[in-house]
Amino acid sequence: ALSRVIFPLGSLYKTQVRSLAKSHGLCTAEKKDSVGICFVGKRKFTDFIGNYLDENPGNIVSVDDTKITFGRHSGLFRYTIGQGAKVSGLKKKLFVTGKDPKTNNLFVCEGEDNPALFSKGLYVNPKFMYWVDGEPPRDFCFTGTLRLKCKVRYRQASVWCTLHFENSSTENRRLVVIFDEPEKAVTPMQVVAFYRGDVCLGGGLIGGVVDTNQS
């Protein structure tokens, strides 16, 4: 279905679109850019989602030493990988590295450049991988590897990576994406998008990360 989608603004820059809107007298021609979720409005997202999910307090634990507990959180849903985690009375800056729903622990590290925040790559389950053309690029089918660029976060500069399937005999072998350089805050259940030049070839749901210490 995606191969039949038409994007009438795809060849235009935003400045050109605004000029067209202004020439047609549209009131949105000079409206401020929106980068949030439209139906949330000016509220904090955590406040919005808190109306639908119950608070479930747990421990904020050091990823470097799980015996160290910095404080308590009011719900894992309030945090995402890479964001700051404020603890009352604590001056040092903590950043989220992971969440464990089983123990309800929020794992954090000290410093925004801590190695625990970086990943060597990621995994995508083939069931949740979608190619715009309905199938992988032909060179990937022939060689089993593919060099292109990807994005794991909104408004992130695309980075070079290599795709291949993991060494497994199972039918549902995961797609492995290895970055040329470790990437920060790669988050499971978010989307990775693949590009060749300015063309988006497809994307998939991140199923897990490849740690920097994995071979």
Side-chain angles (χ1 to χ4, degrees):
L2 281 176
S3 62
R4 297 184 176 89
V5 174
I6 297 175
F7 296 98
L9 303 180
S11 61
L12 300 174
Y13 288 102
K14 185 177 290 186
T15 52
Q16 294 174 296
V17 176
R18 286 190 178 278
S19 295
L20 282 171
K22 189 173 183 178
S23 67
H24 286 80
L26 298 181
C27 62
T28 55
E30 297 180 3
K31 186 177 180 180
K32 184 180 177 181
D33 288 349
S34 173
V35 295
I37 304 175
C38 59
F39 56 82
V40 174
K42 295 183 178 180
R43 292 173 291 177
K44 289 184 178 180
F45 179 75
T46 52
D47 293 338
F48 168 77
I49 201 69
N51 293 325
Y52 303 93
L53 296 175
D54 294 330
E55 291 192 355
N56 187 19
N59 289 328
I60 301 176
V61 179
S62 169
V63 70
D64 297 313
D65 185 349
T66 55
K67 294 180 181 179
I68 299 176
T69 299
F70 291 110
R72 299 277 288 174
H73 66 79
S74 58
L76 294 178
F77 68 87
R78 296 182 179 275
Y79 300 88
T80 189
I81 308 300
Q83 82 171 76
K86 293 182 180 180
V87 176
S88 179
L90 195 67
K91 292 183 178 180
K92 63 180 68 176
K93 290 186 177 181
L94 302 177
F95 296 87
V96 177
T97 64
K99 301 184 286 187
D100 186 349
K102 293 182 179 179
T103 62
N104 201 30
N105 284 338
L106 180 73
F107 292 101
V108 298
C109 67
E110 297 181 36
E112 56 185 326
D113 292 320
N114 192 299
L117 289 169
F118 292 81
S119 302
K120 179 180 177 181
L122 59 88
Y123 298 103
V124 178
N125 187 314
K127 292 182 179 180
F128 304 109
M129 179 67 216
Y130 305 94
W131 299 102
V132 174
D133 285 341
E135 59 184 11
R138 185 169 297 180
D139 47 342
F140 186 37
C141 297
F142 283 136
T143 65
T145 61
L146 188 62
R147 285 283 294 168
L148 37 66
K149 288 188 173 183
C150 72
K151 291 183 180 182
V152 295
R153 293 184 302 280
Y154 174 59
R155 303 182 77 177
Q156 168 203 11
S158 55
V159 297
W160 281 103
C161 65
T162 301
L163 280 66
H164 66 86
F165 282 103
E166 65 180 341
N167 297 322
S168 172
S169 59
T170 61
E171 291 184 5
N172 293 321
R173 293 184 301 165
R174 293 179 299 178
L175 183 67
V176 183
V177 180
I178 300 298
F179 310 122
D180 282 16
E181 298 291 338
E183 274 297 302
K184 187 177 181 179
V186 179
T187 307
M189 302 309 293
Q190 292 190 4
V191 172
V192 55
F194 300 106
Y195 296 85
R196 180 170 279 170
D198 292 331
V199 179
C200 180
L201 300 182
L205 199 64
I206 299 173
V209 299
V210 182
D211 292 334
T212 52
N213 59 358
Q214 286 183 242
S215 59

